[in-house]
Amino acid sequence: MLRNKLCRALCGALLGGLTALAGCGGGGYTTVVPPTTPASMPVVISDASSEDWATIGVKILSIALVPQDGGSSVTVWTAPTPAPYVNLEQLDQLGEILGNVMVPPGTYSGAVVTVSANPGDLILTVSANPTTGFPVAAGTTIPAAQIQIQGAQGGPGNLTVPVKVTFDTPLTVTATQSNALNLEFDLGHPAFIVGHTPPAAAGLTLWAVNFHGPVRRRPVFDITRLVLRHAYGTVTSVDSTDTFFTMTKDYPVLPVSNPETAIAGKESLQIYADATNGTIFYDVDAKTHTVVKDFTSEAATLAGKYVRVAARYQSDGKLVAVRVWASSTFNSVWVSPEGHVLHVNTTTNVITVINESGVPVPVQVDANTEFFFRTPASALADTTPIGTGPGFLATHNLVRGFKVHVSGADPLATPLLAETIDIETAAYAGRISAANLTSFTYTRQFATATDNYAVTLAYIAASTPNGTDASGNAITGFKWWNFTLPTQLNSGSTAVSQFVMATNGGVDFGGTVGALTAWGVSDATWGDMANTTGWSLRDAVLIPTPVPLGAVTIAFAGNTFAMTVLGGTKPATVDVSTTPQSATLVYQIDRANGVITISSIDVTTSSGLAALTAGLHTGAAVKAFGVPQADGTLKAYVLVYFTGILPNG
């Protein structure tokens, strides 16, 4: 069986170097321009989600920028020793602060992200409740021998993958203005993680991990709207004014140990108290919490303690704490589960959260549980609960797939009683129906029927600020785009009507597969003018609907072919685009002698088109991902065809 990873989540970013921070140190750099004052730039990583995995742990060794003039690459960040794992699965649209780096002024045309590729340097752990048909049992950690990292270079013990990204437009860094870098790395890319299960006689399921292709640059214009993952650290000092403390960045050990321990980073971060709205400070050891506007009361005892910080960026680059948890042991600030919501039981008022080990953690909600929605652009909203108690769980205000971080008064209690639940991302997803000019319906079905939902949600108000376009111009109201064309944003007065037109199609394969309609995922916000006491949708991404493994019935010609699928009874036509910048992404996957090879086919070239024509012959095994059209065809965004040993389903 083939399991290409297609997430039901918004596209995220891998690396975001955003607006400059002042007064913060970071990783080293190599000067390739005449000596000038380096510019300060934070580096974070983030990503999209995949509900089949609890852990996708990678070791990022370094990040370098490529000068436009052809000079040597400039290393702007290096990992501590030993290099920690970063769990990409936990970074669902969130930013993980790696550090604040000093970058030589200059113009850069690309970046190189170096990932460690030795056996055991990549961890894949299956989630507690993967999608129906996933070929590996829940909670299983894939053996290193069954993971093949594509493009590895070097010798045994020193294998790496240099992931090269070419910027669409150059990045200019100066010491006197804000600098921005954002590289998008999508876990949901169908060629990122490919599981290949051959017929029984042909061997084990192998998992090919391909870092080349899912990474691209995407601008971030406003860091005050960036939602940051909770950051861990060891406090080194409290400033003499008591307005901020300095911490050394810590990383949890993966696989998770018991009790969990920390790997110390090389970067220092300054964390300010919110002098206007107050920072909620939790003393985990004493099981107390207070609201503070400076750290005067904590100054005498805070140094040396471990902290977990929910922070937001100010426009001047300062990190301001919304909430701080402090303890004398790292395990106590870490143990509160962070992950995606797996189940919501409105009868028992228990939610289940998948932790980093793929283990489902039951969390009890009582009348005192406070729900927060991370809204860094609004300091007041970021610190104000949006709901309290079991009543919040009704009417699907919290659903499977939301990304949360839970905190309890006693983090070691079983079951854990939630004191606070931070909703870090609120993503509704599923089949789109009943789209009109005011709202549309998401219908989602899971292996566990009680997790199913059908929710009708309004678009945000037309006057609500909603980020910027590709040129950095502010936009308002609902926006949407296609999964593989994030730069072709639909916004403005016609965005809603265009969305309605784009989602009314379907493609019918007959049989048990039947008609496939548009799928999407949306980022929801709380308390918009369109719905002041509930969720409204800021955007929608039309996700390519995955089609079951099939076979070509009419060979590729004239940019189309026909295919049938397992469980279907009739063929459907698939349209392929060969237009540069919007061409269908095509991959050839070959398995031979126990090795999987993933080859990208550029169909905008004559050689690539010839390869696709040869590959999509009658009877060829093929898997398609696309958006159903009103005329009954499938507009292909991604095609995967197979050679060598064919997948078993």
Side-chain angles (χ1 to χ4, degrees), residues 316-396:
D316 62 0
K318 290 181 179 177
L319 282 169
V320 173
V322 180
R323 286 175 288 286
V324 176
W325 293 261
S327 174
S328 58
T329 63
F330 181 78
N331 187 69
S332 292
V333 296
W334 177 86
V335 73
S336 294
E338 175 189 12
H340 289 88
V341 175
L342 179 65
H343 303 299
V344 178
N345 190 322
T346 57
T347 301
T348 61
N349 298 321
V350 172
I351 70 170
T352 304
V353 179
I354 304 175
N355 69 10
E356 298 224 26
S357 298
V359 175
V361 179
V363 177
Q364 183 71 51
V365 173
D366 72 0
N368 297 315
T369 302
E370 293 184 318
F371 295 85
F372 294 86
F373 178 54
R374 293 304 316 279
T375 315
S378 171
L380 182 59
D382 212 17
T383 56
T384 302
I386 63 173
T388 304
F392 186 80
L393 301 181
T395 63
H396 303 299

Side-chain angles (χ1 to χ4, degrees), residues 12-18 42-48 56 58-60 62-63 77 84-99 113 181-183 185 226-229 249 251 313:
L14 169 64
L15 306 171
L18 307 166
V43 174
V44 305
I45 62 174
S46 60
D47 216 312
I56 302 175
V58 301
K59 291 183 176 181
I60 299 175
S62 65
I63 300 166
W77 183 86
Y85 288 97
V86 175
N87 184 3
L88 298 179
E89 178 58 33
Q90 291 286 24
L91 305 181
D92 183 1
Q93 304 173 69
L94 304 178
E96 167 91 50
I97 304 173
L98 290 182
V113 183
L181 171 65
N182 180 10
L183 302 181
F185 192 160
L226 181 67
V227 180
L228 298 174
R229 185 188 184 194
K249 169 78 175 176
Y251 299 86
Y313 276 117

